[in-house]
Amino acid sequence: MVDRRVDGLPLEHVLGWAEFYGLRIEVDPGVFVPRRRTELMVHVAGELTNQSAVVVDLCCGTGAIGAAVAAIIGAVELHAVDIAPVACAGARRNVAPAGGRVYVGDLYAPLPRPLRGRVDLLVVNAPYVPTEELRLLPREARLHEARVALDGGRDGLDIQRRVVADAPMWLAPGGHVLIEASRRQSQATTGMLRRAGMSAVPRRSAELESTVVVGSHRPLGVPATART
């Protein structure tokens, strides 16, 4: 194990697990390692979500966010999606204690259609590193995590745009979407959500060096002028 770490393999891949929000999350080789900064998303989710809520973890990777949200809230209806089969295999193990279901596919495509208009909380840690900046990532990420889990396109926002475009279709009235972004991207992400008809506000943690943009799907009958 020491030799593998010296060779540059991420510690979490050497051990086979990562600590995230107090949970031991299994991490298979090549799968995106959950970052501590993403714990801000779980904290915000805990403020917004109640038991029995329908929660969707989009671009779930290991399923760490969904598993942590379920752990702090209790009984939720948890669904998780990722485009990478290897990530989904591990996510199934991680969300199993919460009774979560995992689907392989591109964003919303594999989700059951009856979920449309019923999702209370959509948590999204989509790839948001601009393509030209991938070379600046730590060696562990560049060499040992799948590019599809890192590359957000020219400005880092390609996947977020697709997420936001269809979010109103899936969110319940009053539901929320949480999107992790870099601090410099947060204004653009906030604007996307507002143009999609949602209120939106960035939440930041200096301690975690993290930014999460919170979008809220206004209930039916609430005018657009009520957006924040």
Side-chain angles (χ1 to χ4, degrees):
M1 292 173 72
V2 171
D3 288 342
R4 294 170 69 201
R5 179 66 185 124
V6 171
D7 285 342
L9 198 68
L11 179 62
E12 295 82 1
H13 289 164
V14 174
L15 298 175
W17 61 273
E19 191 275 335
F20 182 80
Y21 216 86
L23 301 178
R24 179 176 288 205
I25 299 295
E26 294 187 30
V27 183
D28 292 330
V31 176
F32 182 83
V33 175
R35 274 48 163 179
R36 184 165 179 261
R37 63 173 175 264
T38 305
E39 292 182 353
L40 174 62
M41 185 177 293
V42 180
H43 176 74
V44 174
E47 297 176 348
L48 299 174
T49 312
N50 300 312
Q51 287 190 358
S52 76
V54 177
V55 177
V56 172
D57 184 353
L58 212 58
C59 304
C60 70
T62 60
I65 301 173
V69 169
I72 65 171
I73 294 172
V76 298
E77 181 183 333
L78 176 60
H79 303 265
V81 183
D82 200 278
I83 199 169
V86 65
C88 289
R92 289 190 179 94
R93 300 193 300 273
N94 289 319
V95 304
R101 299 179 60 186
V102 179
Y103 312 85
V104 180
D106 185 22
L107 299 181
Y108 304 97
L111 286 171
R113 291 300 175 265
L115 284 179
R116 287 188 177 184
R118 292 186 53 237
V119 177
D120 299 300
L121 181 68
L122 180 63
V123 290
V124 188
N125 188 13
Y128 59 87
V129 179
T131 302
E132 289 301 314
E133 295 183 17
L134 291 174
R135 59 187 174 83
L136 304 177
L137 290 174
R139 184 173 182 269
E140 288 90 345
R142 285 187 288 107
L143 300 183
H144 298 287
E145 293 180 328
R147 182 175 178 128
V148 70
L150 303 169
D151 192 346
R154 183 183 58 80
D155 62 355
L157 302 175
D158 284 359
I159 310 301
Q160 289 189 15
R161 290 188 184 93
R162 296 177 56 211
V163 168
V164 170
D166 287 341
M169 180 192 312
W170 292 89
L171 288 173
H176 304 281
V177 54
L178 310 184
I179 302 177
E180 183 172 290
S182 70
R183 187 182 182 96
R184 71 180 182 183
Q185 292 168 330
S186 61
Q187 184 174 357
T189 303
T190 300
M192 284 183 216
L193 289 162
R194 290 175 177 170
R195 287 190 294 275
M198 289 177 269
S199 64
V201 61
R203 293 281 301 272
R204 297 189 175 96
S205 168
E207 177 187 357
L208 297 174
E209 298 184 347
S210 176
T211 302
V212 171
V213 181
V214 181
S216 301
H217 188 38
R218 65 183 186 277
L220 296 175
V222 176
T225 52
R227 297 204 298 269
T228 59

